[in-house]
Each structure stands twice: as structure tokens, then as C-alpha cells.
């Protein structure tokens, strides 16, 4: 998080607390001057009475105004904190290693970056602020009472903590009753489940009355437990009200004898009674604050996973590669979930070469592409770029920007076609029309405002794939990494796309692609045959067909599958 933003939060919080204390001080003085008005009235000193009354009104106005300002400032603080937390979480998710977040569902991420933050916003603006205000008011009131007449302060300290005992006892009793209700619920569910599963046998054995009696027993147990729960709740709920009545009574009783002795005036008693109600407020608001505090702790635990995500980009800027002349895998292995996905993979691609990666499903073809795109990490070995640079040391963002990538699960954003094609801010409308025509997407030239994306079903799978290809081609690519680039295309579209990519546009660039479409092997200079995570062979397609029986059987099997699909 930015230190400047954190400093602003501290400053906002401090300012809010200053106004809280100003409001409380004004409220305490207001109570004190209310007592003085009572003392001045019998003296018929009207000048002093008006003076005291004006100060009383001023204190009242300052108290109300300062409290509202404090609430407003605290709301700004809460919003700022929520914004910073949301920004930090999203930043961690976006900069995390893809595998650390890929397994998380949309609901899990939304729970953390939306629902949990919304709860922080509500809890901070209500229960937390209210408890801080109530606690500050209680402490200030006790200090003022100790200053006016210490025995009154002792009365509040002795009586009001009884409310805490009541709250704790109520909590334990409610927990006990809720436990009993859960047990009754479970028994009831079991009874209903047993009845539904064994209805035929129950009827044959004549057990209907027995089942009905058991259900009635559970209903009675539920009713009695619920009644006890609410009786206990109402009893303990009214204890604070009883204490609010008892404390003033004791204050008046003690105050009567103090007035007799001339220690205090009637105004002091009025002030004390006014202040005493403040002492009980934090005890009342504590339960809500405690629940919020526990929930905030749970939210903190939810967020810890995301806040601890490692930054895949690193704090130091890596090496930038302007041109990709060669890519070499040197004994690359990827170990995940207790097994090797890739094991000892070694091969080299030079500028202008087109390499097809083929093999059975699960052989590790896509993993080779993912490792090259730095979406997976090598457990062993290294990837050398241009014969000099270790891929691990190359700046991740710049590397990905230099490569055109098309993965199997490429998606379009739920925005317009124009938005998706201009994702790299390099879409040229005039040149773009030619590109759309080549990709058989010319019908969209006049429909650039049309919404597309995962939640919109206005386009076919082939059109979606060709739009993803068009999106990829809107930026300058030093190499192409393609995972089944024509899987959703018909034969004509496939030929057009392959001719354009492999012969016209990227004839002098490296292209590494996986495929199950045997027709596309005609565009490959060499074929990388992957089997069970290892490189089984690496040569031209015709050469492999002559010398590698396993490759030959694989191609024949794929050919048969394609014929069946037709």
C-alpha cells in the first residue's frame, strides 16, 4: 500500500477522534451547565441565568455539530480504508502467479473483494464508531463525576458492571438453547428422511402413529425450548433498563444526604443523573461491537490468502528482449501435485521456424506453452532466449507483450467488439477492416458496437476464436504461441487463418503451436512429439512417419477420429 495513502488514513482517523472528544467534552459541559441552571434558578440572578443558559445552548450545539462532523470524517476514513483494501487485494490477485488464483471460483473472489469489504464498510460506520463514541463518553462522564462528587462515580462503577454479567449469562443461556434447537432440528430431519425413504415399510408395519407421536414430541420440545429462549432473552434484555432506573435512584438517595451536609447542590445531582446514562452505553453497544470484531477477524483470515500471494513480476524490473531469435528448452521439468507433468524436456527453435507440438491428451503439450508464457514455473532446468538470457530473468510483462498468445480458454471481455479489438490500444479502423476480411469476419465491420463475451451468446465458437486471433494480431508480436488455434474453425476458415499467420504475416518469426488438426501439420517445419511429459521425437512430419512407429500410430488414430467426427 502507498505510504502516502496510509498517512492520510491516520490523519483522517486522528481528526475524527479529535471531533469525537470535542463532542463529548461539549456534552459533559452541557450536563454541568444544566445543573448550574437548576442552582441559579432559586437565586433569581437573571443575568447569570441567561449567561449560563447561553453557554448550555452553545455546548449543546457544539456537541451535536462536532459529533456529526466526526461521523462524516469517520465515514470518509472507512471508505478510504475499504478502497485501499480492495485495491490491494485486486493488485495482489492481478500480479499473483496464475496457478495461485486459477483454482479460486468467481464466488470466492467476489466474497473477499466485494462482500467482505462491504461488511467492513457497514461495521466500521456503525458498530465500531458507535462503541468508540460510547466508550469515550463513559470515561469522560466518570471523570466529571469524580470531579463533582466521587461517591456518585463509585455508584456507577459498582452498579453498571452488573450489566456485563447479565450480557455474558444471557449469551451462555442463548448458546445452550440454540444447541438444543439444533439437536431437535437434526432429529426432525432424520425422522422426515427416514419416513420418506421407508414409507412403504412404515405402512406395512402399521408404524404411522408411532412416527406421528415422535414428530409431535419433537414439536413440543421445539416449542418449549423456543419459549424459554425468548423468556431468557426478554429478562436479560430489560436488565440495562432496570439499571438505568436504579442508578439515578441511588444517586438521588446519596445526593439527599450530601445536600443535607452541604457537600453538593441539587444541580450536581441533576448533572450526575445526566452523565450516568453515558456510563451504561458502551456496555450496551459492546455486544454488537464484539460480534463485528469477531466477524472482522474472520474476514481478515479470508483475506490473508490473497494478501500473501507472491508477486510473479517481482519488485525488480527484469531484462527486456527486443527481438526473439531463438528459444531453447534445457532439461525443463514441471512437477505438480506429486507427479511430473514435464520431465527433462529439451529442444531448440530458431527464428522463422514453425513448430507443431502434438501428442495424446495429457501428454504435457499445453504445459510447454504455459511455461514459455511464464504461466507455469520450471521445477528443474531452464529456458534460454537468444542463446543468452534465462527466461526466469526476463521481465514478465515485457515478455508477454512481445509474444502473441492464443490459449484454448481465451475469452473475450463482456464489452463491444471494438473494445475487445482495441485492448492493446493499437486498433486501426482502416487496416482493421482488411484483417477482419482475411479472418472471414467482415460482417462485423459495421457492428463494432455489438456486445460479445462469455455471458453473450450472439456469435458462434468459430467467430469467437477468430476474434481472439484478430485481437492478438493488433499488436506487434515477436513470436506466436498458439494452443489449438483452429479447433473451432471450419476447413475454409482454418486454411485462410493458417496461410495468413504462417506464410504472410509471421513467415520470419517463431511460431510454436499445439494441434489435433492433422491438416495444420503441413505448415510446420518440425513436429515436437510429446508423450507422457517427455519429448519422444523432434523432426519433420514425413520423417517421423517413416522412422517413429508410435508417432505413426498416433497420427493414424487421430486421422480416424477426425473421419468419425466428419
Amino acid at each position: 500500500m502507498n505510504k502516502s495513502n496510509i498517512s492520510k488514513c491516520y490523519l483522517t482517523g486522528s481528526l475524527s477522534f479529535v471531533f469525537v472528544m470535542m463532542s463529548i467534552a461539549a456534552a459533559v459541559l452541557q450536563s454541568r451547565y444544566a445543573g448550574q441552571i437548576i442552582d441559579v434558578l432559586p437565586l433569581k440572578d437573571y443575568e447569570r441565568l441567561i449567561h449560563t443558559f447561553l453557554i448550555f445552548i452553545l455546548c449543546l450545539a457544539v456537541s451535536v455539530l462536532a459529533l456529526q462532523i466526526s461521523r462524516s470524517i469517520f465515514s470518509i476514513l472507512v471508505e478510504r480504508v475499504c478502497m485501499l483494501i480492495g485495491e490491494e487485494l485486486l493488485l495482489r490477485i492481478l500480479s499473483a502467479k496464475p496457478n495461485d488464483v486459477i483454482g479460486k471460483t468467481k464466488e470466492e473472489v467476489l466474497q473477499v473483494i466485494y462482500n467482505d469489504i462491504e461488511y467492513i464498510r457497514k461495521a466500521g460506520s456503525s458498530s465500531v464508531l458507535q462503541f468508540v463514541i460510547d466508550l469515550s463518553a463513559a470515561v469522560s462522564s466518570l471523570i466529571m463525576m469524580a470531579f463533582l462528587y466521587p461517591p456518585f462515580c463509585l455508584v456507577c462503577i459498582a452498579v453498571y458492571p452488573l450489566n456485563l454479567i447479565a450480557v455474558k449469562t444471557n449469551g451462555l443461556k442463548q448458546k445452550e438453547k440454540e444447541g438444543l434447537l439444533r439437536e431437535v432440528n437434526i432429529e426432525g430431519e432424520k425422522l422426515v428422511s427416514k419416513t420418506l425413504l421407508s414409507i412403504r415399510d412404515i405402512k406395512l408395519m402399521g408404524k404411522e402413529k408411532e412416527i406421528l407421536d415422535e414428530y409431535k414430541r419433537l414439536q413440543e420440545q421445539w416449542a418449549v425450548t423456543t419459549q424459554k429462549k425468548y423468556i431468557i432473552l426478554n429478562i436479560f434484555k430489560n436488565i440495562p433498563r432496570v439499571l438505568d432506573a436504579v442508578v439515578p435512584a441511588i444517586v438521588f438517595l446519596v445526593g439527599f444526604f450530601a445536600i443535607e451536609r452541604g457537600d453538593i447542590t441539587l444541580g450536581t445531582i441533576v448533572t450526575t443523573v445526566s452523565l450516568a446514562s453515558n456510563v451504561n452505553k458502551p456496555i450496551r453497544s459492546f455486544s454488537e461491537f464484539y460480534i463485528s470484531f469477531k466477524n472482522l477477524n474472520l474476514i481478515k483470515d479470508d483475506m490473508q490468502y490473497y494478501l500473501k500471494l507472491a508477486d510473479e513480476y517481482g519488485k525488480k524490473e527484469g531484462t527486456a528482449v527486443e527481438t526473439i531469435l531463438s528459444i531453447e528448452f534445457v532439461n525443463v521439468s514441471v512437477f505438480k501435485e506429486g507427479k511430473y507433468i514435464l520431465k527433462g524436456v529439451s529442444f531448440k527453435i530458431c527464428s522463422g521456424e514453425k513448430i507443431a507440438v502434438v501428442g495424446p491428451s495429457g501428454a504435457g503439450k499445453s504445459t510447454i506453452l504455459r511455461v514459455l508464457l511464464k504461466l507455469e514455473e520450471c521445477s528443474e532446468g531452464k529456458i534460454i532466449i537468444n542463446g543468452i538470457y534465462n527466461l526466469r530473468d526476463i521481465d514478465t510483462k515485457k515478455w508477454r507483450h512481445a509474444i502473441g498468445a492464443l490459449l484454448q480458454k481465451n475469452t473475450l471481455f463482456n464489452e463491444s467488439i471494438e473494445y475487445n479489438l482495441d485492448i492493446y490500444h493499437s486498433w486501426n479502423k482502416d487496416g482493421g477492416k482488411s484483417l477482419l476480411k482475411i479472418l472471414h469476419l467482415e460482417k462485423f465491420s459495421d457492428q463494432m458496437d455489438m456486445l460479445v463475451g462469455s455471458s453473450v451468446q450472439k456469435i458462434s465458437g468459430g467467430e469467437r476464436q477468430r476474434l481472439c486471433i484478430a485481437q492478438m494480431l493488433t499488436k506487434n508480436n515477436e513470436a506466436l504461441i498458439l494452443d489449438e488455434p483452429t479447433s473451432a474453425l471450419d476447413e475454409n476458415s482454418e486454411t485462410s487463418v493458417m496461410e495468413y499467420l504462417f506464410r504472410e504475416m509471421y513467415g520470419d518469426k517463431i511460431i510454436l503451436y499445439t494441434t489435433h488438426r492433422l491438416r495444420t501439420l503441413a505448415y510446420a517445419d518440425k513436429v515436437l512429439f510429446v508423450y507422457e511429459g517427455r519429448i519422444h521425437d523432434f523432426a519433420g512430419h514425413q520423417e517421423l512417419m517413416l522412422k517413429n512407429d508410435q508417432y505413426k500410430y498416433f497420427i493414424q488414430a487421430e486421422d480416424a477420429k477426425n473421419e468419425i467426427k466428419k
Side-chain angles (χ1 to χ4, degrees):
M1 286 188 191
N2 191 302
K3 286 184 179 179
S4 170
N5 287 329
I6 293 172
S7 300
K8 285 178 184 175
C9 287
Y10 279 125
L11 182 63
T12 308
S14 303
L15 192 60
S16 176
F17 186 71
V18 166
F19 276 98
V20 166
M21 295 313 296
M22 187 187 296
S23 171
I24 289 165
V28 170
L29 286 173
Q30 172 198 332
S31 299
R32 178 62 184 140
Y33 280 104
Q36 285 188 7
I37 289 170
I38 300 296
D39 290 337
V40 172
L41 274 172
L43 302 176
K44 296 186 178 180
D45 186 347
Y46 296 113
E47 185 180 341
R48 186 181 169 191
L49 180 64
I50 292 168
H51 180 262
T52 306
F53 182 74
L54 288 173
I55 295 175
F56 170 80
I57 293 296
L58 178 64
C59 289
L60 175 63
V62 170
S63 173
V64 172
L65 186 61
L67 185 61
Q68 292 308 314
I69 293 171
S70 170
R71 286 184 183 279
S72 300
I73 294 172
F74 195 80
S75 295
I76 293 168
L77 170 65
V78 170
E79 289 297 329
R80 183 167 285 168
V81 167
C82 288
M83 184 184 71
L84 288 176
I85 293 171
E87 186 181 313
E88 184 69 16
L89 284 168
L90 199 55
L91 178 65
R92 293 298 179 96
I93 290 167
L94 289 172
S95 61
K97 294 174 182 176
N99 283 344
D100 290 341
V101 291
I102 270 173
K104 295 290 178 182
T105 63
K106 179 177 72 175
E107 288 73 20
E108 286 177 304
V109 176
L110 284 176
Q111 174 64 35
V112 172
I113 67 173
Y114 181 76
N115 295 347
D116 286 352
I117 289 175
E118 185 61 25
Y119 183 83
I120 293 171
R121 182 179 285 111
K122 287 178 181 176
S125 300
S126 55
S127 55
V128 174
L129 176 61
Q130 192 59 52
F131 180 70
V132 169
I133 291 170
D134 290 345
L135 186 62
S136 303
V139 172
S140 303
S141 298
L142 285 170
I143 292 169
M144 177 58 85
M145 281 189 276
F147 174 75
L148 291 173
Y149 190 60
F152 289 157
C153 181
L154 294 175
V155 168
C156 291
I157 292 171
V159 176
Y160 279 129
L162 294 174
N163 198 9
L164 283 174
I165 298 169
V167 169
K168 187 175 181 180
T169 307
N170 180 41
L172 292 172
K173 292 286 184 185
Q174 293 300 321
K175 196 173 180 181
E176 179 192 335
K177 299 303 175 192
E178 282 168 8
L180 289 171
L181 289 173
R182 271 196 300 273
E183 287 176 15
V184 174
N185 260 339
I186 291 167
E187 283 187 50
E189 285 172 10
K190 284 180 180 176
L191 181 65
V192 171
S193 179
K194 183 175 76 173
T195 304
L196 292 173
L197 289 171
S198 312
I199 188 72
R200 186 185 60 187
D201 295 334
I202 290 168
K203 285 177 174 293
L204 288 172
M205 295 175 187
K207 295 279 187 180
E208 295 97 324
K209 188 176 182 303
E210 190 177 314
I211 294 288
L212 192 60
D213 289 343
E214 177 64 14
Y215 183 74
K216 283 180 179 177
R217 183 189 69 78
L218 290 173
Q219 283 288 82
E220 284 174 14
Q221 192 176 344
W222 171 273
V224 170
T225 308
T226 305
Q227 285 170 11
K228 287 180 179 177
K229 176 187 172 183
Y230 284 110
I231 288 168
I232 291 166
L233 180 65
N234 286 323
I235 288 171
F236 286 102
K237 197 175 178 181
N238 287 305
I239 285 176
R241 294 191 182 97
V242 173
L243 294 178
D244 279 341
V246 167
V247 168
I250 296 172
V251 166
F252 275 115
L253 184 63
V254 172
F256 174 75
F257 292 107
I259 289 172
E260 282 286 305
R261 292 194 302 271
D263 295 339
I264 58 171
T265 63
L266 181 61
T268 305
I269 295 176
V270 171
T271 301
T272 302
V273 170
S274 176
L275 293 173
S277 61
N278 291 335
V279 180
N280 200 22
K281 283 179 181 178
I283 299 171
R284 287 183 172 187
S285 59
F286 176 74
S287 56
E288 193 176 337
F289 167 75
Y290 181 69
I291 291 166
S292 296
F293 185 75
K294 284 186 76 174
N295 289 337
L296 288 171
N297 264 334
L298 292 173
I299 287 171
K300 183 193 77 175
D301 294 339
D302 285 346
M303 291 181 174
Q304 282 300 320
Y305 174 82
Y306 296 94
L307 291 173
K308 288 179 180 178
L309 287 173
D311 186 347
E312 71 160 341
Y313 301 124
K315 292 182 180 176
K316 234 167 73 176
E317 193 172 318
T319 308
V321 175
E322 298 294 331
T323 308
I324 300 173
L325 300 173
S326 67
I327 298 171
E328 185 178 2
F329 277 58
V330 182
N331 293 318
V332 170
S333 297
V334 175
F335 188 81
K336 277 175 67 180
E337 297 175 0
K339 64 177 182 179
Y340 279 100
I341 310 299
L342 292 179
K343 180 66 176 174
V345 171
S346 295
F347 64 91
K348 185 176 181 179
I349 315 171
C350 295
S351 181
E353 286 189 319
K354 314 293 182 281
I355 308 299
V357 185
V358 301
S361 295
K365 304 185 298 296
S366 295
T367 304
I368 290 174
L369 305 192
R370 290 175 63 78
V371 167
L372 193 51
L373 288 167
K374 300 184 82 169
L375 295 173
E376 296 270 7
E377 285 188 347
C378 302
S379 306
E380 300 163 18
K382 58 186 176 180
I383 299 172
I384 304 298
I385 307 301
N386 297 345
I388 304 171
Y389 306 110
N390 189 329
L391 182 61
R392 193 184 296 272
D393 301 326
I394 292 174
D395 187 89
T396 302
K397 284 183 179 177
K398 290 176 182 176
W399 173 252
R400 288 180 186 158
H401 190 73
I403 290 177
L406 186 73
L407 301 180
Q408 286 186 46
K409 293 184 179 178
N410 267 39
T411 55
L412 297 169
F413 292 101
N414 294 320
E415 298 283 351
S416 68
I417 291 175
E418 186 171 10
Y419 176 91
N420 278 280
L421 293 177
D422 196 32
I423 204 75
Y424 299 109
H425 308 296
S426 54
W427 175 250
N428 182 294
K429 288 185 179 180
D430 295 328
K433 285 185 178 180
S434 302
L435 177 60
L436 292 177
K437 188 174 182 181
I438 291 165
L439 297 175
H440 297 180
L441 295 170
E442 58 268 29
K443 73 173 187 179
F444 294 121
S445 297
D446 300 322
Q447 301 177 51
M448 299 300 280
D449 293 333
M450 188 174 86
L451 290 177
V452 292
S454 57
S455 65
V456 183
Q457 302 299 324
K458 290 182 180 178
I459 59 175
S460 67
E463 289 170 336
R464 189 179 299 278
Q465 189 168 39
R466 278 175 280 148
L467 279 172
C468 287
I469 292 170
Q471 183 189 74
M472 174 188 72
L473 297 178
T474 57
K475 68 181 179 75
N476 293 322
N477 301 304
E478 285 299 312
L480 294 185
I481 307 296
L482 313 172
D483 198 359
E484 300 286 351
T486 61
S487 59
L489 304 186
D490 58 41
E491 192 170 337
N492 289 335
S493 297
E494 181 180 75
T495 302
S496 298
V497 167
M498 295 300 285
E499 283 289 332
Y500 181 67
L501 290 178
F502 285 66
R503 301 275 157 76
E504 296 177 36
M505 195 166 185
Y506 291 95
D508 61 339
K509 306 286 185 183
I510 288 173
I511 300 180
L512 184 66
Y513 67 104
T514 66
T515 184
H516 279 92
R517 296 279 186 96
L518 302 185
R519 291 188 302 272
T520 62
L521 294 178
Y523 296 90
D525 298 310
K526 290 182 182 178
V527 176
L528 193 67
F529 183 41
V530 185
Y531 191 79
E532 293 182 347
R534 297 175 185 270
I535 301 299
H536 204 272
D537 216 330
F538 185 36
H541 171 63
Q542 295 301 331
E543 185 182 340
L544 288 176
M545 289 295 285
L546 291 172
K547 74 172 187 177
N548 192 313
D549 289 339
Q550 193 164 5
Y551 177 78
K552 183 179 178 181
Y553 295 147
F554 169 75
I555 293 296
Q556 287 171 347
E558 287 297 309
D559 200 20
K561 283 182 193 174
N562 290 336
E563 285 298 321
I564 291 168
K565 285 179 183 177
K566 286 179 183 177

